[in-house]
mmCIF file of all heavy atoms in Angstrom:
data_model
loop_
_atom_site.group_PDB
_atom_site.id
_atom_site.type_symbol
_atom_site.label_atom_id
_atom_site.label_comp_id
_atom_site.label_asym_id
_atom_site.label_seq_id
_atom_site.Cartn_x
_atom_site.Cartn_y
_atom_site.Cartn_z
ATOM 1 N N ALA W 27 -3.972 -5.953 2.106
ATOM 2 C CA ALA W 27 -3.314 -6.723 1.073
ATOM 3 C C ALA W 27 -2.688 -5.756 0.069
ATOM 4 O O ALA W 27 -3.155 -4.626 -0.120
ATOM 5 C CB ALA W 27 -4.311 -7.624 0.348
ATOM 6 N N ASP W 28 -1.625 -6.215 -0.578
ATOM 7 C CA ASP W 28 -0.879 -5.327 -1.497
ATOM 8 C C ASP W 28 -1.732 -4.687 -2.549
ATOM 9 O O ASP W 28 -1.521 -3.550 -2.957
ATOM 10 C CB ASP W 28 0.263 -6.095 -2.124
ATOM 11 C CG ASP W 28 1.389 -6.402 -1.167
ATOM 12 O OD1 ASP W 28 1.474 -5.722 -0.135
ATOM 13 O OD2 ASP W 28 2.156 -7.316 -1.408
ATOM 14 N N GLY W 29 -2.746 -5.407 -3.046
ATOM 15 C CA GLY W 29 -3.590 -4.851 -4.086
ATOM 16 C C GLY W 29 -4.362 -3.622 -3.685
ATOM 17 O O GLY W 29 -4.742 -2.811 -4.509
ATOM 18 N N PHE W 30 -4.561 -3.419 -2.405
ATOM 19 C CA PHE W 30 -5.282 -2.241 -1.914
ATOM 20 C C PHE W 30 -4.400 -1.012 -1.816
ATOM 21 O O PHE W 30 -4.884 0.086 -1.564
ATOM 22 C CB PHE W 30 -5.912 -2.514 -0.554
ATOM 23 C CG PHE W 30 -7.133 -3.402 -0.606
ATOM 24 C CD1 PHE W 30 -7.056 -4.763 -0.453
ATOM 25 C CD2 PHE W 30 -8.408 -2.852 -0.860
ATOM 26 C CE1 PHE W 30 -8.170 -5.576 -0.518
ATOM 27 C CE2 PHE W 30 -9.534 -3.646 -0.930
ATOM 28 C CZ PHE W 30 -9.420 -5.016 -0.775
ATOM 29 N N ASN W 31 -3.089 -1.229 -2.014
ATOM 30 C CA ASN W 31 -2.172 -0.088 -1.999
ATOM 31 C C ASN W 31 -2.258 0.552 -3.382
ATOM 32 O O ASN W 31 -1.549 0.237 -4.307
ATOM 33 C CB ASN W 31 -0.719 -0.594 -1.719
ATOM 34 C CG ASN W 31 0.228 0.561 -1.575
ATOM 35 O OD1 ASN W 31 -0.081 1.719 -1.821
ATOM 36 N ND2 ASN W 31 1.475 0.223 -1.206
ATOM 37 N N ARG W 32 -3.178 1.529 -3.465
ATOM 38 C CA ARG W 32 -3.490 2.081 -4.754
ATOM 39 C C ARG W 32 -4.018 3.549 -4.570
ATOM 40 O O ARG W 32 -4.608 3.854 -3.531
ATOM 41 C CB ARG W 32 -4.539 1.281 -5.496
ATOM 42 C CG ARG W 32 -5.814 1.026 -4.693
ATOM 43 C CD ARG W 32 -6.786 0.143 -5.417
ATOM 44 N NE ARG W 32 -8.042 -0.033 -4.680
ATOM 45 C CZ ARG W 32 -9.201 -0.428 -5.254
ATOM 46 N NH1 ARG W 32 -9.219 -0.708 -6.533
ATOM 47 N NH2 ARG W 32 -10.281 -0.581 -4.522
ATOM 48 N N SER W 33 -3.809 4.350 -5.566
ATOM 49 C CA SER W 33 -4.300 5.698 -5.531
ATOM 50 C C SER W 33 -5.710 5.818 -6.123
ATOM 51 O O SER W 33 -6.520 6.548 -5.612
ATOM 52 C CB SER W 33 -3.353 6.657 -6.307
ATOM 53 O OG SER W 33 -3.809 7.976 -6.280
ATOM 54 N N ASP W 34 -6.001 5.095 -7.192
ATOM 55 C CA ASP W 34 -7.321 5.107 -7.805
ATOM 56 C C ASP W 34 -8.167 3.992 -7.156
ATOM 57 O O ASP W 34 -7.875 2.851 -7.331
ATOM 58 C CB ASP W 34 -7.170 4.857 -9.310
ATOM 59 C CG ASP W 34 -8.484 5.064 -10.071
ATOM 60 O OD1 ASP W 34 -9.540 4.925 -9.444
ATOM 61 O OD2 ASP W 34 -8.439 5.388 -11.273
ATOM 62 N N ILE W 35 -9.219 4.393 -6.441
ATOM 63 C CA ILE W 35 -10.039 3.406 -5.737
ATOM 64 C C ILE W 35 -11.437 3.291 -6.344
ATOM 65 O O ILE W 35 -12.341 2.727 -5.704
ATOM 66 C CB ILE W 35 -10.132 3.786 -4.239
ATOM 67 C CG1 ILE W 35 -10.843 5.120 -4.046
ATOM 68 C CG2 ILE W 35 -8.786 3.808 -3.589
ATOM 69 C CD1 ILE W 35 -11.204 5.447 -2.604
ATOM 70 N N THR W 36 -11.619 3.739 -7.567
ATOM 71 C CA THR W 36 -12.947 3.818 -8.157
ATOM 72 C C THR W 36 -13.541 2.424 -8.541
ATOM 73 O O THR W 36 -14.727 2.328 -8.750
ATOM 74 C CB THR W 36 -12.989 4.688 -9.393
ATOM 75 O OG1 THR W 36 -11.944 4.274 -10.294
ATOM 76 C CG2 THR W 36 -12.708 6.142 -8.976
ATOM 77 N N ALA W 37 -12.684 1.382 -8.612
ATOM 78 C CA ALA W 37 -13.130 0.089 -9.094
ATOM 79 C C ALA W 37 -12.684 -1.025 -8.150
ATOM 80 O O ALA W 37 -11.972 -0.780 -7.162
ATOM 81 C CB ALA W 37 -12.594 -0.173 -10.516
ATOM 82 N N ASN W 38 -13.088 -2.226 -8.457
ATOM 83 C CA ASN W 38 -12.589 -3.407 -7.756
ATOM 84 C C ASN W 38 -11.095 -3.551 -8.064
ATOM 85 O O ASN W 38 -10.564 -2.918 -8.988
ATOM 86 C CB ASN W 38 -13.312 -4.678 -8.216
ATOM 87 C CG ASN W 38 -14.684 -4.792 -7.624
ATOM 88 O OD1 ASN W 38 -14.999 -4.242 -6.580
ATOM 89 N ND2 ASN W 38 -15.545 -5.517 -8.364
ATOM 90 N N LEU W 39 -10.422 -4.422 -7.314
ATOM 91 C CA LEU W 39 -8.977 -4.615 -7.523
ATOM 92 C C LEU W 39 -8.646 -5.104 -8.927
ATOM 93 O O LEU W 39 -7.596 -4.764 -9.490
ATOM 94 C CB LEU W 39 -8.435 -5.592 -6.549
ATOM 95 C CG LEU W 39 -8.518 -5.208 -5.053
ATOM 96 C CD1 LEU W 39 -7.775 -6.206 -4.187
ATOM 97 C CD2 LEU W 39 -7.970 -3.767 -4.807
ATOM 98 N N ASP W 40 -9.599 -5.806 -9.571
ATOM 99 C CA ASP W 40 -9.366 -6.287 -10.923
ATOM 100 C C ASP W 40 -9.841 -5.316 -11.989
ATOM 101 O O ASP W 40 -9.791 -5.629 -13.201
ATOM 102 C CB ASP W 40 -10.021 -7.661 -11.125
ATOM 103 C CG ASP W 40 -11.541 -7.617 -11.008
ATOM 104 O OD1 ASP W 40 -12.122 -6.495 -10.812
ATOM 105 O OD2 ASP W 40 -12.187 -8.709 -11.057
ATOM 106 N N GLY W 41 -10.241 -4.141 -11.581
ATOM 107 C CA GLY W 41 -10.675 -3.082 -12.553
ATOM 108 C C GLY W 41 -12.157 -3.142 -12.907
ATOM 109 O O GLY W 41 -12.638 -2.255 -13.617
ATOM 110 N N SER W 42 -12.896 -4.120 -12.361
ATOM 111 C CA SER W 42 -14.326 -4.220 -12.677
ATOM 112 C C SER W 42 -15.149 -3.340 -11.766
ATOM 113 O O SER W 42 -14.641 -2.839 -10.781
ATOM 114 C CB SER W 42 -14.780 -5.673 -12.539
ATOM 115 O OG SER W 42 -14.624 -6.127 -11.188
ATOM 116 N N GLU W 43 -16.423 -3.181 -12.096
ATOM 117 C CA GLU W 43 -17.372 -2.467 -11.253
ATOM 118 C C GLU W 43 -16.934 -1.014 -10.965
ATOM 119 O O GLU W 43 -16.969 -0.569 -9.812
ATOM 120 C CB GLU W 43 -17.638 -3.206 -9.931
ATOM 121 C CG GLU W 43 -18.191 -4.574 -10.081
ATOM 122 C CD GLU W 43 -19.619 -4.611 -10.680
ATOM 123 O OE1 GLU W 43 -20.342 -3.633 -10.470
ATOM 124 O OE2 GLU W 43 -19.946 -5.560 -11.392
ATOM 125 N N VAL W 44 -16.509 -0.312 -11.988
ATOM 126 C CA VAL W 44 -16.139 1.073 -11.824
ATOM 127 C C VAL W 44 -17.367 1.850 -11.343
ATOM 128 O O VAL W 44 -18.443 1.786 -11.966
ATOM 129 C CB VAL W 44 -15.659 1.666 -13.140
ATOM 130 C CG1 VAL W 44 -15.333 3.162 -12.978
ATOM 131 C CG2 VAL W 44 -14.390 0.932 -13.606
ATOM 132 N N GLN W 45 -17.234 2.594 -10.261
ATOM 133 C CA GLN W 45 -18.345 3.297 -9.665
ATOM 134 C C GLN W 45 -18.588 4.613 -10.425
ATOM 135 O O GLN W 45 -17.684 5.377 -10.675
ATOM 136 C CB GLN W 45 -18.039 3.559 -8.195
ATOM 137 C CG GLN W 45 -17.939 2.291 -7.382
ATOM 138 C CD GLN W 45 -19.233 1.429 -7.462
ATOM 139 O OE1 GLN W 45 -20.263 1.831 -6.953
ATOM 140 N NE2 GLN W 45 -19.129 0.298 -8.112
ATOM 141 N N VAL W 46 -19.888 4.848 -10.656
ATOM 142 C CA VAL W 46 -20.311 6.032 -11.391
ATOM 143 C C VAL W 46 -20.567 7.160 -10.417
ATOM 144 O O VAL W 46 -21.198 6.989 -9.384
ATOM 145 C CB VAL W 46 -21.570 5.733 -12.200
ATOM 146 C CG1 VAL W 46 -22.061 6.981 -12.934
ATOM 147 C CG2 VAL W 46 -21.313 4.611 -13.214
ATOM 148 N N GLY W 47 -20.083 8.381 -10.802
ATOM 149 C CA GLY W 47 -20.283 9.514 -9.946
ATOM 150 C C GLY W 47 -19.382 10.678 -10.336
ATOM 151 O O GLY W 47 -18.598 10.563 -11.293
ATOM 152 N N ILE W 48 -19.471 11.773 -9.636
ATOM 153 C CA ILE W 48 -18.646 12.928 -9.938
ATOM 154 C C ILE W 48 -17.194 12.647 -9.525
ATOM 155 O O ILE W 48 -16.952 12.266 -8.370
ATOM 156 C CB ILE W 48 -19.156 14.169 -9.147
ATOM 157 C CG1 ILE W 48 -20.601 14.462 -9.551
ATOM 158 C CG2 ILE W 48 -18.286 15.369 -9.384
ATOM 159 C CD1 ILE W 48 -21.269 15.493 -8.670
ATOM 160 N N PRO W 49 -16.243 12.818 -10.432
ATOM 161 C CA PRO W 49 -14.857 12.545 -10.065
ATOM 162 C C PRO W 49 -14.397 13.428 -8.911
ATOM 163 O O PRO W 49 -14.763 14.601 -8.786
ATOM 164 C CB PRO W 49 -14.092 12.925 -11.359
ATOM 165 C CG PRO W 49 -15.076 12.768 -12.479
ATOM 166 C CD PRO W 49 -16.380 13.193 -11.862
ATOM 167 N N LEU W 50 -13.599 12.824 -8.009
ATOM 168 C CA LEU W 50 -13.106 13.536 -6.842
ATOM 169 C C LEU W 50 -11.646 13.158 -6.599
ATOM 170 O O LEU W 50 -11.335 11.959 -6.476
ATOM 171 C CB LEU W 50 -13.949 13.160 -5.610
ATOM 172 C CG LEU W 50 -13.562 13.735 -4.253
ATOM 173 C CD1 LEU W 50 -13.644 15.303 -4.274
ATOM 174 C CD2 LEU W 50 -14.406 13.202 -3.122
ATOM 175 N N GLN W 51 -10.797 14.146 -6.569
ATOM 176 C CA GLN W 51 -9.390 13.922 -6.271
ATOM 177 C C GLN W 51 -9.077 14.465 -4.884
ATOM 178 O O GLN W 51 -9.249 15.675 -4.612
ATOM 179 C CB GLN W 51 -8.507 14.658 -7.286
ATOM 180 C CG GLN W 51 -7.025 14.393 -7.141
ATOM 181 C CD GLN W 51 -6.594 12.997 -7.610
ATOM 182 O OE1 GLN W 51 -7.185 12.424 -8.489
ATOM 183 N NE2 GLN W 51 -5.561 12.477 -6.993
ATOM 184 N N LEU W 52 -8.632 13.602 -4.011
ATOM 185 C CA LEU W 52 -8.362 14.000 -2.621
ATOM 186 C C LEU W 52 -6.865 13.889 -2.342
ATOM 187 O O LEU W 52 -6.261 12.828 -2.569
ATOM 188 C CB LEU W 52 -9.133 13.117 -1.661
ATOM 189 C CG LEU W 52 -10.652 13.209 -1.689
ATOM 190 C CD1 LEU W 52 -11.260 12.163 -0.734
ATOM 191 C CD2 LEU W 52 -11.127 14.599 -1.340
ATOM 192 N N THR W 53 -6.321 14.962 -1.810
ATOM 193 C CA THR W 53 -4.886 14.972 -1.441
ATOM 194 C C THR W 53 -4.802 15.295 0.039
ATOM 195 O O THR W 53 -5.435 16.225 0.530
ATOM 196 C CB THR W 53 -4.098 16.002 -2.233
ATOM 197 O OG1 THR W 53 -4.163 15.701 -3.616
ATOM 198 C CG2 THR W 53 -2.628 16.047 -1.806
ATOM 199 N N PHE W 54 -4.049 14.476 0.754
ATOM 200 C CA PHE W 54 -3.840 14.716 2.205
ATOM 201 C C PHE W 54 -2.380 14.844 2.493
ATOM 202 O O PHE W 54 -1.512 14.159 1.911
ATOM 203 C CB PHE W 54 -4.445 13.527 2.984
ATOM 204 C CG PHE W 54 -5.866 13.278 2.780
ATOM 205 C CD1 PHE W 54 -6.327 12.380 1.838
ATOM 206 C CD2 PHE W 54 -6.801 13.992 3.554
ATOM 207 C CE1 PHE W 54 -7.702 12.214 1.689
ATOM 208 C CE2 PHE W 54 -8.177 13.792 3.394
ATOM 209 C CZ PHE W 54 -8.621 12.901 2.439
ATOM 210 N N TYR W 55 -2.081 15.780 3.418
ATOM 211 C CA TYR W 55 -0.722 15.953 3.955
ATOM 212 C C TYR W 55 -0.806 15.587 5.448
ATOM 213 O O TYR W 55 -1.609 16.138 6.157
ATOM 214 C CB TYR W 55 -0.250 17.363 3.766
ATOM 215 C CG TYR W 55 0.200 17.706 2.379
ATOM 216 C CD1 TYR W 55 -0.710 18.152 1.452
ATOM 217 C CD2 TYR W 55 1.532 17.534 1.955
ATOM 218 C CE1 TYR W 55 -0.296 18.484 0.136
ATOM 219 C CE2 TYR W 55 1.965 17.839 0.697
ATOM 220 C CZ TYR W 55 1.013 18.292 -0.222
ATOM 221 O OH TYR W 55 1.416 18.619 -1.512
ATOM 222 N N LEU W 56 0.093 14.711 5.892
ATOM 223 C CA LEU W 56 0.135 14.334 7.300
ATOM 224 C C LEU W 56 1.334 15.010 7.963
ATOM 225 O O LEU W 56 2.461 15.001 7.397
ATOM 226 C CB LEU W 56 0.257 12.824 7.431
ATOM 227 C CG LEU W 56 -1.129 12.051 7.495
ATOM 228 C CD1 LEU W 56 -1.852 12.200 6.172
ATOM 229 C CD2 LEU W 56 -0.902 10.620 7.862
ATOM 230 N N TYR W 57 1.102 15.544 9.134
ATOM 231 C CA TYR W 57 2.122 16.248 9.910
ATOM 232 C C TYR W 57 2.154 15.700 11.323
ATOM 233 O O TYR W 57 1.138 15.271 11.868
ATOM 234 C CB TYR W 57 1.893 17.738 9.934
ATOM 235 C CG TYR W 57 1.942 18.383 8.575
ATOM 236 C CD1 TYR W 57 0.775 18.658 7.864
ATOM 237 C CD2 TYR W 57 3.153 18.662 7.958
ATOM 238 C CE1 TYR W 57 0.806 19.215 6.628
ATOM 239 C CE2 TYR W 57 3.190 19.251 6.704
ATOM 240 C CZ TYR W 57 2.038 19.510 6.004
ATOM 241 O OH TYR W 57 2.080 20.048 4.759
ATOM 242 N N ASP W 58 3.323 15.739 11.944
ATOM 243 C CA ASP W 58 3.487 15.230 13.266
ATOM 244 C C ASP W 58 3.434 16.412 14.267
ATOM 245 O O ASP W 58 4.348 17.206 14.377
ATOM 246 C CB ASP W 58 4.885 14.588 13.381
ATOM 247 C CG ASP W 58 5.041 13.785 14.681
ATOM 248 O OD1 ASP W 58 4.334 14.098 15.651
ATOM 249 O OD2 ASP W 58 5.923 12.869 14.699
#
């Protein structure tokens, strides 16, 4: 669903239930 197209995944789609933990930023590069 469109709402899941997001970079920040720490919470529910409505912003509730933010998960507690060590911040982690993940970057991926895809190659053919």
